Amino acid sequence: MLNPRRLEILRAVLAAGSINQAARNLSYSPATISQHMSALARETGLVLFEKQGRGIVATDDARHLADQAQALLADFGRLERVVADLRGGQGQHLAVACFASAAEQWMPAVVRAVRALQPNLTVEISLNEPVDGRGRRLPDLDVRTEPAGGTEVHLDGYARHELTVEGFVAVLPEAHPLAADAEVSLGDLAGEPWIDYDIYDSPIGQIVLSACNAAGFTPRFAARLDDHRAALRLVAAGIGVTVLPRLAVTRLPDGLVARPVVRPSVARRIVVHARRDPRRAALLGHAVARLRAGARETDAA
C-alpha cells in the first residue's frame, strides 16, 4: 500500500526543485527525504529520479504520479481533519455547497441561525459551481440552480426543497441607450459585446445561452470570467453588457442599471437538497427554513 506521506514528500521535492531545498522547506534532513523517496520507488516499482551530472532529476513517471496523487491527498487531508475533530470532541459540522450569490446573500443568516441552535457547530461553505468538491466534506445542504421550466433534479439520499423562481436582468451602463427603458428585450442585446461570468458553462450559463438561442442569436463575448462581481466591474468600465439573476445584483456598482429581460424572459429555479439524516433532522430543517426566509426576502425586495 502506498504511503500518503511519501506522496506528499514527492510533491514537495518536485515543487522545490531539489531534495536539499525540499528538506529545508519540510524541516527534514536531506538523508530523510532521500530515504522516503527510495521507499516510494520500492513501493511503486517505478524509477522516480535519475542521475544528471552531480545531481538527480525527476522522471516523467514521478511527475505523473505526483499529479495523480493530488486528489487523493486532498481527500486524505479531509479525513485527517475529521479524525482530529472527533479526537478533540469538535466533530459538529454542517457542510453547505452553494453558488456564489447564494453564499453572499443567504449564508450569513443561515450560519447565524444554525449556530444559535448549536453554538459549537462549524459551518463549512464551498462553491459547487464549477468545482468538483475534492478534499471537502459531502454537503449536508446543496443549493443549486435549475432551468425554471426544466426537469426537476433529485439526489439520492437528499430531500429536495424548492426555494424560489427568479428572473434575470440585463445590466447596462447608465449611459447605454437601453438603460432608459423599463425592460429590455433579449434580442436587443444581440449586437452588443457581452461579459460572460460563467466560463465553465455551469447551469446558470446554460440557462442564459439557451434563452439567447431562443431569441435567435449567440452572444459575442468581449470577456469571459468565473466571477459575477468582476463581470459587473467590466460592465461598469464600458466593455460590454451582461445578463444576471436578480440575486446577483442586489448591490450594483455605481454607474450601472439593471432592467428585467423579456422576449423571451429568462428565469431560474433555486432548490436546496437536504441530506436525509434523522439524527440531524432538526438542524437541517432549521437551515432549510432560514433559506426559505432568505428567498422570500429576496423576492420581496
Side-chain angles (χ1 to χ4, degrees), residues 47-294:
V47 175
L48 302 178
F49 296 92
E50 295 176 330
K51 289 187 177 298
Q52 184 178 80
R54 294 185 176 181
I56 59 173
V57 294
T59 64
D60 289 341
D61 286 348
R63 297 186 183 281
H64 187 63
L65 177 62
D67 288 342
Q68 294 300 309
Q70 181 174 3
L72 170 66
L73 292 173
D75 284 341
F76 191 79
R78 176 183 61 82
L79 184 60
E80 286 185 320
R81 291 194 298 273
V82 170
V83 171
D85 288 344
L86 293 172
R87 191 166 53 233
Q90 299 175 345
Q92 298 184 65
H93 288 81
L94 181 71
V96 181
C98 62
F99 47 88
S101 54
E104 184 176 13
Q105 300 299 329
W106 294 343
M107 283 304 118
V110 172
V111 174
R112 185 167 54 246
V114 295
R115 279 183 50 79
L117 197 65
Q118 292 189 16
N120 292 328
L121 188 71
T122 299
V123 182
E124 295 184 0
I125 302 170
S126 60
L127 299 186
N128 54 12
E129 296 177 0
V131 299
D132 64 2
R134 278 287 186 180
R136 301 178 183 180
R137 301 174 194 274
L138 290 175
D140 300 300
L141 296 170
D142 194 337
V143 184
R144 296 192 178 195
T145 290
E146 299 176 353
T151 302
E152 294 183 357
V153 175
H154 294 264
L155 304 180
D156 289 342
Y158 289 79
R160 181 182 183 279
H161 305 272
E162 183 172 321
L163 297 176
T164 188
V165 174
E166 68 165 358
F168 283 57
V169 295
V171 182
L172 315 160
E174 288 178 342
H176 194 283
L178 295 175
D181 298 338
E183 55 189 25
V184 173
S185 171
L186 191 59
D188 289 341
L189 301 177
E192 299 285 340
W194 279 55
I195 308 300
D196 180 23
Y197 49 87
D198 185 45
I199 197 170
Y200 296 107
D201 299 321
S202 63
I204 192 168
Q206 295 168 20
I207 290 170
V208 174
L209 185 58
S210 294
C212 291
N213 291 338
F217 73 98
T218 299
R220 176 173 57 88
F221 294 120
R224 303 192 72 198
L225 310 90
D226 61 356
D227 180 78
H228 71 276
R229 291 173 297 269
L232 289 173
R233 294 297 177 183
L234 267 64
V235 176
I239 296 170
V241 302
T242 195
V243 171
L244 278 160
R246 289 181 57 240
L247 187 63
V249 295
T250 54
R251 290 188 295 273
L252 283 174
D254 292 341
L256 296 182
V257 298
R259 298 290 182 258
V261 173
V262 296
R263 296 185 299 276
S265 60
V266 189
R268 69 171 173 180
R269 183 168 58 224
I270 303 177
V271 301
V272 57
H273 300 271
R275 185 188 294 279
R276 298 184 189 275
D277 185 348
R279 299 169 301 174
R280 312 182 79 196
L283 177 66
L284 294 171
H286 199 58
V288 170
R290 184 56 252 181
L291 281 168
R292 288 188 184 279

